[in-house]
PDB file of all heavy atoms in Angstrom:
ATOM      1  N   HIS A 184     -20.363  80.181  -0.624  1.00 75.00           N
ATOM      2  CA  HIS A 184     -20.192  80.101   0.826  1.00 75.00           C
ATOM      3  C   HIS A 184     -20.145  81.497   1.429  1.00 75.00           C
ATOM      4  O   HIS A 184     -19.621  82.432   0.834  1.00 75.00           O
ATOM      5  CB  HIS A 184     -18.896  79.351   1.150  1.00 75.00           C
ATOM      6  CG  HIS A 184     -18.689  79.149   2.620  1.00 75.00           C
ATOM      7  ND1 HIS A 184     -19.487  78.321   3.386  1.00 75.00           N
ATOM      8  CD2 HIS A 184     -17.779  79.674   3.471  1.00 75.00           C
ATOM      9  CE1 HIS A 184     -19.077  78.349   4.641  1.00 75.00           C
ATOM     10  NE2 HIS A 184     -18.050  79.160   4.715  1.00 75.00           N
ATOM     11  N   ILE A 185     -20.692  81.618   2.610  1.00 82.00           N
ATOM     12  CA  ILE A 185     -20.586  82.835   3.408  1.00 82.00           C
ATOM     13  C   ILE A 185     -19.943  82.447   4.738  1.00 82.00           C
ATOM     14  O   ILE A 185     -20.210  81.367   5.278  1.00 82.00           O
ATOM     15  CB  ILE A 185     -21.972  83.480   3.625  1.00 82.00           C
ATOM     16  CG1 ILE A 185     -21.836  84.836   4.321  1.00 82.00           C
ATOM     17  CG2 ILE A 185     -22.906  82.574   4.403  1.00 82.00           C
ATOM     18  CD1 ILE A 185     -23.146  85.610   4.378  1.00 82.00           C
ATOM     19  N   SER A 186     -19.065  83.277   5.240  1.00 86.00           N
ATOM     20  CA  SER A 186     -18.329  82.919   6.447  1.00 86.00           C
ATOM     21  C   SER A 186     -19.259  82.884   7.660  1.00 86.00           C
ATOM     22  O   SER A 186     -20.303  83.541   7.688  1.00 86.00           O
ATOM     23  CB  SER A 186     -17.198  83.925   6.691  1.00 86.00           C
ATOM     24  OG  SER A 186     -17.742  85.189   7.030  1.00 86.00           O
ATOM     25  N   ARG A 187     -18.852  82.118   8.668  1.00 87.00           N
ATOM     26  CA  ARG A 187     -19.624  82.055   9.909  1.00 87.00           C
ATOM     27  C   ARG A 187     -19.692  83.434  10.558  1.00 87.00           C
ATOM     28  O   ARG A 187     -20.734  83.810  11.117  1.00 87.00           O
ATOM     29  CB  ARG A 187     -18.989  81.042  10.869  1.00 87.00           C
ATOM     30  CG  ARG A 187     -19.807  80.804  12.140  1.00 87.00           C
ATOM     31  CD  ARG A 187     -19.081  79.816  13.048  1.00 87.00           C
ATOM     32  NE  ARG A 187     -18.886  78.546  12.390  1.00 87.00           N
ATOM     33  CZ  ARG A 187     -19.784  77.557  12.378  1.00 87.00           C
ATOM     34  NH1 ARG A 187     -20.932  77.720  13.008  1.00 87.00           N
ATOM     35  NH2 ARG A 187     -19.534  76.415  11.759  1.00 87.00           N
ATOM     36  N   GLU A 188     -18.588  84.188  10.471  1.00 89.00           N
ATOM     37  CA  GLU A 188     -18.554  85.517  11.068  1.00 89.00           C
ATOM     38  C   GLU A 188     -19.616  86.428  10.445  1.00 89.00           C
ATOM     39  O   GLU A 188     -20.319  87.163  11.147  1.00 89.00           O
ATOM     40  CB  GLU A 188     -17.165  86.148  10.898  1.00 89.00           C
ATOM     41  CG  GLU A 188     -16.077  85.517  11.741  1.00 89.00           C
ATOM     42  CD  GLU A 188     -15.618  84.162  11.206  1.00 89.00           C
ATOM     43  OE1 GLU A 188     -15.891  83.864  10.021  1.00 89.00           O
ATOM     44  OE2 GLU A 188     -15.020  83.399  11.986  1.00 89.00           O
ATOM     45  N   LYS A 189     -19.737  86.375   9.128  1.00 86.00           N
ATOM     46  CA  LYS A 189     -20.732  87.210   8.455  1.00 86.00           C
ATOM     47  C   LYS A 189     -22.144  86.708   8.727  1.00 86.00           C
ATOM     48  O   LYS A 189     -23.061  87.500   8.963  1.00 86.00           O
ATOM     49  CB  LYS A 189     -20.479  87.220   6.943  1.00 86.00           C
ATOM     50  CG  LYS A 189     -21.382  88.192   6.187  1.00 86.00           C
ATOM     51  CD  LYS A 189     -20.966  88.316   4.727  1.00 86.00           C
ATOM     52  CE  LYS A 189     -21.817  89.342   4.004  1.00 86.00           C
ATOM     53  NZ  LYS A 189     -21.406  89.510   2.589  1.00 86.00           N
ATOM     54  N   ALA A 190     -22.314  85.370   8.736  1.00 90.00           N
ATOM     55  CA  ALA A 190     -23.642  84.799   8.948  1.00 90.00           C
ATOM     56  C   ALA A 190     -24.189  85.142  10.326  1.00 90.00           C
ATOM     57  O   ALA A 190     -25.404  85.271  10.510  1.00 90.00           O
ATOM     58  CB  ALA A 190     -23.595  83.287   8.756  1.00 90.00           C
ATOM     59  N   THR A 191     -23.296  85.264  11.299  1.00 90.00           N
ATOM     60  CA  THR A 191     -23.729  85.520  12.676  1.00 90.00           C
ATOM     61  C   THR A 191     -23.532  86.985  13.090  1.00 90.00           C
ATOM     62  O   THR A 191     -23.533  87.306  14.274  1.00 90.00           O
ATOM     63  CB  THR A 191     -22.951  84.618  13.652  1.00 90.00           C
ATOM     64  OG1 THR A 191     -21.536  84.839  13.503  1.00 90.00           O
ATOM     65  CG2 THR A 191     -23.243  83.148  13.379  1.00 90.00           C
ATOM     66  N   SER A 192     -23.374  87.872  12.110  1.00 92.00           N
ATOM     67  CA  SER A 192     -23.069  89.274  12.406  1.00 92.00           C
ATOM     68  C   SER A 192     -24.312  90.120  12.663  1.00 92.00           C
ATOM     69  O   SER A 192     -24.199  91.308  12.956  1.00 92.00           O
ATOM     70  CB  SER A 192     -22.283  89.888  11.239  1.00 92.00           C
ATOM     71  OG  SER A 192     -23.097  89.935  10.075  1.00 92.00           O
ATOM     72  N   GLY A 193     -25.494  89.520  12.551  1.00 93.00           N
ATOM     73  CA  GLY A 193     -26.717  90.271  12.759  1.00 93.00           C
ATOM     74  C   GLY A 193     -27.493  90.542  11.484  1.00 93.00           C
ATOM     75  O   GLY A 193     -28.510  91.254  11.498  1.00 93.00           O
ATOM     76  N   ILE A 194     -27.048  89.985  10.358  1.00 93.00           N
ATOM     77  CA  ILE A 194     -27.764  90.129   9.092  1.00 93.00           C
ATOM     78  C   ILE A 194     -29.163  89.554   9.228  1.00 93.00           C
ATOM     79  O   ILE A 194     -29.364  88.494   9.825  1.00 93.00           O
ATOM     80  CB  ILE A 194     -27.000  89.387   7.966  1.00 93.00           C
ATOM     81  CG1 ILE A 194     -25.674  90.079   7.680  1.00 93.00           C
ATOM     82  CG2 ILE A 194     -27.837  89.290   6.692  1.00 93.00           C
ATOM     83  CD1 ILE A 194     -24.782  89.314   6.725  1.00 93.00           C
ATOM     84  N   GLY A 195     -30.138  90.241   8.638  1.00 95.00           N
ATOM     85  CA  GLY A 195     -31.511  89.761   8.722  1.00 95.00           C
ATOM     86  C   GLY A 195     -31.836  88.672   7.716  1.00 95.00           C
ATOM     87  O   GLY A 195     -32.536  87.709   8.033  1.00 95.00           O
ATOM     88  N   THR A 196     -31.296  88.813   6.502  1.00 94.00           N
ATOM     89  CA  THR A 196     -31.593  87.863   5.432  1.00 94.00           C
ATOM     90  C   THR A 196     -30.339  87.574   4.621  1.00 94.00           C
ATOM     91  O   THR A 196     -29.618  88.495   4.232  1.00 94.00           O
ATOM     92  CB  THR A 196     -32.679  88.399   4.482  1.00 94.00           C
ATOM     93  OG1 THR A 196     -33.832  88.771   5.231  1.00 94.00           O
ATOM     94  CG2 THR A 196     -33.077  87.345   3.453  1.00 94.00           C
ATOM     95  N   ILE A 197     -30.090  86.304   4.370  1.00 94.00           N
ATOM     96  CA  ILE A 197     -28.996  85.870   3.504  1.00 94.00           C
ATOM     97  C   ILE A 197     -29.616  85.297   2.236  1.00 94.00           C
ATOM     98  O   ILE A 197     -30.540  84.484   2.300  1.00 94.00           O
ATOM     99  CB  ILE A 197     -28.127  84.807   4.198  1.00 94.00           C
ATOM    100  CG1 ILE A 197     -27.421  85.415   5.412  1.00 94.00           C
ATOM    101  CG2 ILE A 197     -27.114  84.207   3.234  1.00 94.00           C
ATOM    102  CD1 ILE A 197     -26.720  84.394   6.296  1.00 94.00           C
ATOM    103  N   ILE A 198     -29.124  85.730   1.094  1.00 92.00           N
ATOM    104  CA  ILE A 198     -29.661  85.253  -0.184  1.00 92.00           C
ATOM    105  C   ILE A 198     -28.670  84.292  -0.829  1.00 92.00           C
ATOM    106  O   ILE A 198     -27.524  84.642  -1.093  1.00 92.00           O
ATOM    107  CB  ILE A 198     -29.956  86.416  -1.146  1.00 92.00           C
ATOM    108  CG1 ILE A 198     -30.940  87.400  -0.499  1.00 92.00           C
ATOM    109  CG2 ILE A 198     -30.535  85.890  -2.465  1.00 92.00           C
ATOM    110  CD1 ILE A 198     -31.188  88.641  -1.333  1.00 92.00           C
ATOM    111  N   TRP A 199     -29.125  83.068  -1.061  1.00 92.00           N
ATOM    112  CA  TRP A 199     -28.332  82.036  -1.735  1.00 92.00           C
ATOM    113  C   TRP A 199     -28.549  82.215  -3.232  1.00 92.00           C
ATOM    114  O   TRP A 199     -29.658  82.089  -3.731  1.00 92.00           O
ATOM    115  CB  TRP A 199     -28.818  80.665  -1.276  1.00 92.00           C
ATOM    116  CG  TRP A 199     -28.004  79.485  -1.712  1.00 92.00           C
ATOM    117  CD1 TRP A 199     -27.658  79.155  -2.981  1.00 92.00           C
ATOM    118  CD2 TRP A 199     -27.456  78.469  -0.871  1.00 92.00           C
ATOM    119  NE1 TRP A 199     -26.932  77.989  -2.997  1.00 92.00           N
ATOM    120  CE2 TRP A 199     -26.801  77.550  -1.708  1.00 92.00           C
ATOM    121  CE3 TRP A 199     -27.481  78.236   0.500  1.00 92.00           C
ATOM    122  CZ2 TRP A 199     -26.167  76.409  -1.218  1.00 92.00           C
ATOM    123  CZ3 TRP A 199     -26.851  77.107   0.994  1.00 92.00           C
ATOM    124  CH2 TRP A 199     -26.200  76.210   0.149  1.00 92.00           C
ATOM    125  N   GLY A 200     -27.482  82.492  -3.979  1.00 88.00           N
ATOM    126  CA  GLY A 200     -27.611  82.788  -5.398  1.00 88.00           C
ATOM    127  C   GLY A 200     -27.588  81.559  -6.283  1.00 88.00           C
ATOM    128  O   GLY A 200     -27.169  80.470  -5.878  1.00 88.00           O
ATOM    129  N   SER A 201     -28.041  81.741  -7.524  1.00 86.00           N
ATOM    130  CA  SER A 201     -27.948  80.738  -8.592  1.00 86.00           C
ATOM    131  C   SER A 201     -28.535  79.389  -8.211  1.00 86.00           C
ATOM    132  O   SER A 201     -27.870  78.358  -8.279  1.00 86.00           O
ATOM    133  CB  SER A 201     -26.490  80.563  -9.028  1.00 86.00           C
ATOM    134  OG  SER A 201     -25.956  81.771  -9.517  1.00 86.00           O
ATOM    135  N   GLY A 202     -29.807  79.388  -7.826  1.00 89.00           N
ATOM    136  CA  GLY A 202     -30.505  78.129  -7.565  1.00 89.00           C
ATOM    137  C   GLY A 202     -31.156  77.633  -8.845  1.00 89.00           C
ATOM    138  O   GLY A 202     -32.347  77.866  -9.082  1.00 89.00           O
ATOM    139  N   PHE A 203     -30.365  76.962  -9.691  1.00 89.00           N
ATOM    140  CA  PHE A 203     -30.883  76.477 -10.969  1.00 89.00           C
ATOM    141  C   PHE A 203     -32.011  75.479 -10.739  1.00 89.00           C
ATOM    142  O   PHE A 203     -31.899  74.587  -9.904  1.00 89.00           O
ATOM    143  CB  PHE A 203     -29.765  75.830 -11.788  1.00 89.00           C
ATOM    144  CG  PHE A 203     -28.621  76.752 -12.078  1.00 89.00           C
ATOM    145  CD1 PHE A 203     -27.349  76.490 -11.593  1.00 89.00           C
ATOM    146  CD2 PHE A 203     -28.824  77.902 -12.822  1.00 89.00           C
ATOM    147  CE1 PHE A 203     -26.297  77.345 -11.851  1.00 89.00           C
ATOM    148  CE2 PHE A 203     -27.774  78.774 -13.085  1.00 89.00           C
ATOM    149  CZ  PHE A 203     -26.504  78.494 -12.599  1.00 89.00           C
ATOM    150  N   ILE A 204     -33.092  75.618 -11.507  1.00 90.00           N
ATOM    151  CA  ILE A 204     -34.281  74.808 -11.253  1.00 90.00           C
ATOM    152  C   ILE A 204     -34.167  73.387 -11.792  1.00 90.00           C
ATOM    153  O   ILE A 204     -34.968  72.523 -11.429  1.00 90.00           O
ATOM    154  CB  ILE A 204     -35.548  75.471 -11.806  1.00 90.00           C
ATOM    155  CG1 ILE A 204     -35.449  75.644 -13.331  1.00 90.00           C
ATOM    156  CG2 ILE A 204     -35.782  76.813 -11.116  1.00 90.00           C
ATOM    157  CD1 ILE A 204     -36.741  76.112 -13.975  1.00 90.00           C
ATOM    158  N   ASP A 205     -33.193  73.134 -12.668  1.00 85.00           N
ATOM    159  CA  ASP A 205     -32.899  71.752 -13.066  1.00 85.00           C
ATOM    160  C   ASP A 205     -31.427  71.688 -13.443  1.00 85.00           C
ATOM    161  O   ASP A 205     -30.737  72.706 -13.481  1.00 85.00           O
ATOM    162  CB  ASP A 205     -33.810  71.258 -14.195  1.00 85.00           C
ATOM    163  CG  ASP A 205     -33.603  71.978 -15.515  1.00 85.00           C
ATOM    164  OD1 ASP A 205     -32.448  72.304 -15.870  1.00 85.00           O
ATOM    165  OD2 ASP A 205     -34.603  72.223 -16.219  1.00 85.00           O
ATOM    166  N   ASP A 206     -30.938  70.497 -13.690  1.00 81.00           N
ATOM    167  CA  ASP A 206     -29.523  70.323 -14.011  1.00 81.00           C
ATOM    168  C   ASP A 206     -29.326  69.993 -15.483  1.00 81.00           C
ATOM    169  O   ASP A 206     -28.247  69.588 -15.891  1.00 81.00           O
ATOM    170  CB  ASP A 206     -28.927  69.214 -13.145  1.00 81.00           C
ATOM    171  CG  ASP A 206     -27.405  69.258 -13.113  1.00 81.00           C
ATOM    172  OD1 ASP A 206     -26.854  70.373 -13.227  1.00 81.00           O
ATOM    173  OD2 ASP A 206     -26.777  68.195 -12.988  1.00 81.00           O
ATOM    174  N   GLU A 207     -30.391  70.165 -16.285  1.00 76.00           N
ATOM    175  CA  GLU A 207     -30.325  69.798 -17.692  1.00 76.00           C
ATOM    176  C   GLU A 207     -30.253  71.026 -18.594  1.00 76.00           C
ATOM    177  O   GLU A 207     -29.325  71.169 -19.389  1.00 76.00           O
ATOM    178  CB  GLU A 207     -31.552  68.959 -18.061  1.00 76.00           C
ATOM    179  CG  GLU A 207     -31.550  68.462 -19.497  1.00 76.00           C
ATOM    180  CD  GLU A 207     -32.764  67.620 -19.818  1.00 76.00           C
ATOM    181  OE1 GLU A 207     -33.713  67.611 -19.007  1.00 76.00           O
ATOM    182  OE2 GLU A 207     -32.766  66.984 -20.880  1.00 76.00           O
ATOM    183  N   TYR A 208     -31.211  71.928 -18.458  1.00 73.00           N
ATOM    184  CA  TYR A 208     -31.281  73.089 -19.327  1.00 73.00           C
ATOM    185  C   TYR A 208     -31.037  74.409 -18.607  1.00 73.00           C
ATOM    186  O   TYR A 208     -30.671  75.401 -19.234  1.00 73.00           O
ATOM    187  CB  TYR A 208     -32.672  73.164 -19.985  1.00 73.00           C
ATOM    188  CG  TYR A 208     -32.959  72.037 -20.940  1.00 73.00           C
ATOM    189  CD1 TYR A 208     -33.790  70.989 -20.561  1.00 73.00           C
ATOM    190  CD2 TYR A 208     -32.408  72.017 -22.213  1.00 73.00           C
ATOM    191  CE1 TYR A 208     -34.060  69.950 -21.431  1.00 73.00           C
ATOM    192  CE2 TYR A 208     -32.672  70.989 -23.093  1.00 73.00           C
ATOM    193  CZ  TYR A 208     -33.508  69.948 -22.701  1.00 73.00           C
ATOM    194  OH  TYR A 208     -33.764  68.920 -23.564  1.00 73.00           O
ATOM    195  N   ALA A 209     -31.282  74.456 -17.303  1.00 74.00           N
ATOM    196  CA  ALA A 209     -31.263  75.729 -16.590  1.00 74.00           C
ATOM    197  C   ALA A 209     -29.883  76.336 -16.382  1.00 74.00           C
ATOM    198  O   ALA A 209     -29.732  77.557 -16.460  1.00 74.00           O
ATOM    199  CB  ALA A 209     -31.963  75.573 -15.232  1.00 74.00           C
ATOM    200  N   PRO A 210     -28.815  75.553 -16.082  1.00 75.00           N
ATOM    201  CA  PRO A 210     -27.545  76.173 -15.655  1.00 75.00           C
ATOM    202  C   PRO A 210     -26.785  76.843 -16.793  1.00 75.00           C
ATOM    203  O   PRO A 210     -27.008  76.594 -17.974  1.00 75.00           O
ATOM    204  CB  PRO A 210     -26.751  74.976 -15.113  1.00 75.00           C
ATOM    205  CG  PRO A 210     -27.740  73.886 -14.906  1.00 75.00           C
ATOM    206  CD  PRO A 210     -28.783  74.091 -15.950  1.00 75.00           C
ATOM    207  N   ILE A 211     -25.852  77.683 -16.400  1.00 73.00           N
ATOM    208  CA  ILE A 211     -24.899  78.252 -17.346  1.00 73.00           C
ATOM    209  C   ILE A 211     -23.541  77.579 -17.189  1.00 73.00           C
ATOM    210  O   ILE A 211     -22.629  77.795 -17.961  1.00 73.00           O
ATOM    211  CB  ILE A 211     -24.769  79.772 -17.140  1.00 73.00           C
ATOM    212  CG1 ILE A 211     -24.135  80.434 -18.379  1.00 73.00           C
ATOM    213  CG2 ILE A 211     -23.994  80.115 -15.865  1.00 73.00           C
ATOM    214  CD1 ILE A 211     -24.177  81.931 -18.383  1.00 73.00           C
ATOM    215  N   ARG A 212     -23.416  76.750 -16.193  1.00 67.00           N
ATOM    216  CA  ARG A 212     -22.166  76.026 -15.938  1.00 67.00           C
ATOM    217  C   ARG A 212     -22.513  74.705 -15.267  1.00 67.00           C
ATOM    218  O   ARG A 212     -23.643  74.478 -14.830  1.00 67.00           O
ATOM    219  CB  ARG A 212     -21.257  76.839 -15.014  1.00 67.00           C
ATOM    220  CG  ARG A 212     -21.883  77.106 -13.675  1.00 67.00           C
ATOM    221  CD  ARG A 212     -20.970  77.882 -12.739  1.00 67.00           C
ATOM    222  NE  ARG A 212     -21.634  78.080 -11.464  1.00 67.00           N
ATOM    223  CZ  ARG A 212     -22.490  79.067 -11.219  1.00 67.00           C
ATOM    224  NH1 ARG A 212     -22.754  79.945 -12.167  1.00 67.00           N
ATOM    225  NH2 ARG A 212     -23.074  79.175 -10.043  1.00 67.00           N
ATOM    226  N   SER A 213     -21.546  73.817 -15.179  1.00 65.00           N
ATOM    227  CA  SER A 213     -21.770  72.535 -14.518  1.00 65.00           C
ATOM    228  C   SER A 213     -21.535  72.663 -13.023  1.00 65.00           C
ATOM    229  O   SER A 213     -20.845  73.557 -12.558  1.00 65.00           O
ATOM    230  CB  SER A 213     -20.824  71.475 -15.099  1.00 65.00           C
ATOM    231  OG  SER A 213     -19.475  71.852 -14.879  1.00 65.00           O
TER     232      SER A 213
END
């Protein structure tokens, strides 16, 4: 999660981390 204050602070790009491509083999955690 990123706070609303940070999201609306003028940042050009927000990067969402750890987008596992499947839920079977890709993750390192559940």
Side-chain angles (χ1 to χ4, degrees):
H184 184 68
I185 187 172
S186 68
R187 186 182 300 274
E188 289 75 18
K189 186 172 183 178
T191 57
S192 65
I194 293 172
T196 306
I197 295 170
I198 302 175
W199 188 305
S201 300
F203 301 117
I204 61 172
D205 66 38
D206 197 31
E207 183 179 12
Y208 294 103
I211 198 170
R212 61 178 181 276
S213 61

